Amino acid sequence: MNWVMFIVLAGAVWLGVAEGVDVEGALQSAASGSVEKICSYTSHAESCSVALTPVANNKSATLTDYLQAAIKVAQQEVEAAKGRPAEIGKAATKPQEKMAVDDCKELLQFAVDELQASMAAVGESSVHTIAEREAELKNWLSAVLSYHETCIDGFETPEIKEGVSKGLLNATELTDNALAIVGSISNLSKSFNMSIKELPDAAKSLLDGFPGWMKSGDRKLLAAGGEPEPNAVVAQDGSGQYKTIQAALDAYPKDLKGGRYVIYVKAGVYDEYITITKDQLNIYMYGDGPRKSIVTGKKSFTDGVSTFKTASFSVIGNGFICKSMGFRNTAGPQGHQAVALRVQSDMSAFFNCRMDGYQDTLYVQTHRQFYRNCLVSGTVDFIFGDSAVILQNCLIIVRKPMEKQKNTVTAQGRTTKNEATGIVIQNCKIVPEKKLEPVRMEIPTYLGRPWKDYSMTLVMESWLADFIQPEGWLPWTGTFALDTCFYREYNNRGPGSTTDKRVNWKGYAVMTNKDEAQRYTVGPFLQGEQWLPATTVPFSLGLAY
């Protein structure tokens, strides 16, 4: 409760005793003021007010109660919306759209799970404030919005797509409200002078640079830079316990309470479609090298498969660590959308890995992700998604596309300004492949294009080859998102880094302030100091130069 409210209430109590003033009315008025104050931070104040007004009836309601209510109504609306895509999708005739109905069911369940986790987290009591865990909640709620949008994107027919979008509109607005409240929690807590509760211990990051589930012996081994003893060895020649990666995953302990499951994948080309499921947490997978231990697939949009399901390798379970592996989709440019690696795992890290494809190679779907010393190749939107991701010290190779196609390195999917997501390319090299080299100046190549209204992409401290178009960035269509996107370049090098002819969009700028650039580095953007030490993946918390 802020001091203004305190004075109002104190005065009301005194007057009530002395002159018979309606104390109850004064209390109710103050409570209504609380709702108005909270909802002023949201983009959908009316739906926020409807959701939070019942809480105001509780005279002792805290800011935590209001936040819980905001998340609860969002969860209820997502639950109610789960069946709408299936109902609307009955009119679908395209194979991808029929598949999209099932995708939506899966995606919206992920959304419900994230909201449930957020509710449980806010409800945990502690002496610390929830403001200290703002990043964690924003991470979960941003993922919910990403799942909504991925569901909608699965439909191409305008009437169906619009119907699904409208069916999810309330759920999306209410989730965005909750996200806005979390993002304003520090200001609100000061204004209300209320104690806010902390997230549960399970969601905490690191105390000593390693997560709680890691055994002390493993900590010493990882600190020394060695690979942990594998629980499962995969080898096609029969020299391991399993001949397929899937078989090793099937052996994941159902009752794994702590520690992690380590899989060593020996050299070989593994033609199998892999999904690290939601309940397969803290998997550590490593191979003999990105050109030796390779997972391959060839599913594509052209074959009638939804983009979401084209991935050769998908990671859902949190805490996934991968080293020295290759992931590829061989559908070729004619396959159009064809994902090699799809990641929605929170606090996931990839080191010395390779992702090869053409359109939509690396799908950084949700949550916090980190890539170091990796190689990513592709043509159209080949690094895309709505996670909070940093590619650091990576080699980004642009390939030769189909005739009349233009190359775009990124397509970021942030749909609201409140999401804590974005693609950051830091201290990387962006170069053409050998086949593109002779015609690199004839085929336009851009750093990215705004896929969604608030697309956020930053290219920082990187070396850009001469084939990057002088404009730097390509519109998605017409003037869509040119004012609302957040595109930045900072301290880049190379012949393609000249910015004097860059686009003049309202959403684009050359960043010159070092302190501003620092906000989008591993420390503040990914909270990397709290979890990356446990991965043994090298990283730089701040700027490289």
Side-chain angles (χ1 to χ4, degrees), residues 64-125:
T64 305
D65 295 322
Y66 285 107
L67 178 55
Q68 279 187 303
I71 297 172
K72 185 176 181 179
V73 293
Q75 179 189 328
Q76 290 172 337
E77 186 54 39
V78 176
E79 288 274 17
K82 280 168 61 177
R84 290 172 192 158
E87 184 63 30
I88 298 165
K90 286 180 180 179
T93 56
K94 297 179 180 179
Q96 292 94 339
E97 292 189 325
K98 290 181 178 180
M99 189 176 292
V101 172
D102 292 331
D103 291 347
C104 282
K105 183 178 179 181
E106 182 179 352
L107 288 160
L108 295 181
Q109 186 56 55
F110 285 140
V112 169
D113 292 343
E114 302 274 2
L115 289 163
Q116 287 176 336
S118 301
M119 273 289 293
V122 174
E124 289 287 331
S125 60

Side-chain angles (χ1 to χ4, degrees), residues 14-86:
W14 185 83
L15 287 171
V17 172
E19 302 178 16
V21 169
D22 181 8
V23 177
E24 186 71 19
L27 289 167
Q28 191 62 47
S29 177
S32 298
S34 299
V35 172
E36 185 177 351
K37 177 74 173 178
I38 294 169
C39 293
S40 69
Y41 286 92
T42 70
S43 300
H44 313 283
E46 185 176 348
S47 59
C48 173
S49 180
V50 171
L52 300 190
T53 295
V55 182
N57 294 327
N58 177 4
K59 311 303 185 300
S60 60
T62 66
L63 189 49
T64 305
D65 295 322
Y66 285 107
L67 178 55
Q68 279 187 303
I71 297 172
K72 185 176 181 179
V73 293
Q75 179 189 328
Q76 290 172 337
E77 186 54 39
V78 176
E79 288 274 17
K82 280 168 61 177
R84 290 172 192 158

Side-chain angles (χ1 to χ4, degrees), residues 147-167:
Y147 296 139
H148 291 182
E149 198 66 15
T150 304
C151 167
I152 295 166
D153 285 339
F155 300 91
E156 281 196 310
T157 305
E159 315 84 80
I160 298 177
K161 186 165 188 168
E162 184 180 1
V164 173
S165 181
K166 287 181 178 178

Side-chain angles (χ1 to χ4, degrees), residues 244-523:
T244 66
I245 297 172
Q246 187 59 58
L249 289 170
D250 289 342
Y252 181 94
K254 302 298 182 184
D255 58 347
L256 186 68
K257 302 297 183 183
R260 56 208 156 88
Y261 189 62
V262 181
I263 302 174
Y264 168 36
V265 181
K266 288 190 174 184
V269 178
Y270 296 84
D271 190 355
E272 48 181 319
Y273 294 95
I274 298 298
T275 297
I276 308 296
T277 60
K278 181 179 175 63
D279 58 347
Q280 293 176 327
L281 306 174
N282 304 323
I283 287 179
Y284 189 115
M285 184 178 292
Y286 66 96
D288 286 327
R291 288 182 176 272
K292 294 181 178 180
S293 301
I294 301 168
V295 179
T296 188
K298 58 181 180 180
K299 289 182 180 179
S300 72
F301 190 82
T302 302
D303 294 332
V305 181
S306 63
T307 304
F308 178 62
K309 288 295 174 63
T310 61
S312 304
F313 196 97
S314 300
V315 188
I316 302 172
N318 292 341
F320 182 75
I321 303 169
C322 189
K323 293 185 177 182
S324 303
M325 293 277 294
F327 307 95
R328 69 188 188 193
N329 190 310
T330 61
Q334 66 277 5
H336 294 284
Q337 296 95 322
V339 178
L341 174 66
R342 177 177 69 87
V343 182
Q344 66 183 81
S345 167
D346 190 25
M347 295 186 288
S348 54
F350 294 79
F351 175 68
N352 188 33
C353 289
R354 183 178 180 120
M355 287 67 76
D356 289 308
Y358 284 86
Q359 182 171 345
D360 292 359
T361 303
L362 176 58
Y363 189 179
V364 288
Q365 188 178 3
T366 57
H367 295 303
R368 292 166 292 188
Q369 306 179 24
F370 180 69
Y371 298 78
R372 171 83 178 210
N373 290 36
C374 291
L375 183 154
V376 188
S377 73
T379 55
V380 179
D381 307 335
F382 64 96
I383 301 172
F384 78 109
D386 193 25
S387 66
V389 58
I390 293 181
L391 292 90
Q392 190 177 84
N393 293 32
C394 291
L395 180 61
I396 298 172
I397 298 180
V398 182
R399 307 180 77 172
K400 186 178 179 181
M402 290 194 298
E403 190 176 350
K404 297 182 179 179
Q405 279 190 326
K406 297 176 182 179
N407 287 324
T408 43
V409 176
T410 65
Q412 204 278 331
R414 196 171 66 139
T415 57
T416 82
K417 62 183 179 180
N418 296 312
E419 286 186 73
T421 61
I423 294 173
V424 178
I425 295 174
Q426 183 193 15
N427 199 29
C428 295
K429 287 185 177 181
I430 303 178
V431 299
E433 69 166 350
K434 289 182 179 179
K435 287 184 179 179
L436 179 61
E437 181 77 28
V439 292
R440 70 188 187 284
M441 308 308 286
E442 300 168 24
I443 299 173
T445 295
Y446 302 86
L447 297 173
R449 56 179 181 158
W451 181 27
K452 302 295 179 181
D453 290 272
Y454 291 87
S455 290
M456 175 187 281
T457 302
L458 297 94
V459 180
M460 305 165 55
E461 304 179 306
S462 294
W463 195 90
L464 313 182
D466 62 359
F467 70 136
I468 300 298
Q469 289 290 299
E471 306 97 293
W473 308 83
L474 180 70
W476 186 268
T477 179
T479 59
F480 172 74
L482 302 189
D483 289 346
T484 52
C485 68
F486 186 90
Y487 278 176
R488 298 290 186 270
E489 292 181 62
Y490 173 77
N491 201 22
N492 292 315
R493 312 175 305 284
S497 65
T498 304
T499 58
D500 56 353
K501 294 182 180 179
R502 287 294 196 250
V503 293
N504 61 355
W505 308 342
K506 185 178 179 181
Y508 169 79
V510 176
M511 192 178 286
T512 57
N513 187 294
K514 188 173 183 178
D515 290 337
E516 184 182 3
Q518 182 70 29
R519 298 176 198 166
Y520 303 99
T521 58
V522 169

Side-chain angles (χ1 to χ4, degrees), residues 213-259:
W213 49 260
M214 188 175 290
K215 298 175 183 178
S216 59
D218 284 342
R219 298 183 190 199
K220 293 178 181 178
L221 178 64
L222 290 176
E227 301 295 357
E229 186 72 22
N231 300 99
V233 177
V234 181
Q236 292 177 329
D237 62 6
S239 61
Q241 298 142 286
Y242 308 98
K243 290 189 176 182
T244 66
I245 297 172
Q246 187 59 58
L249 289 170
D250 289 342
Y252 181 94
K254 302 298 182 184
D255 58 347
L256 186 68
K257 302 297 183 183

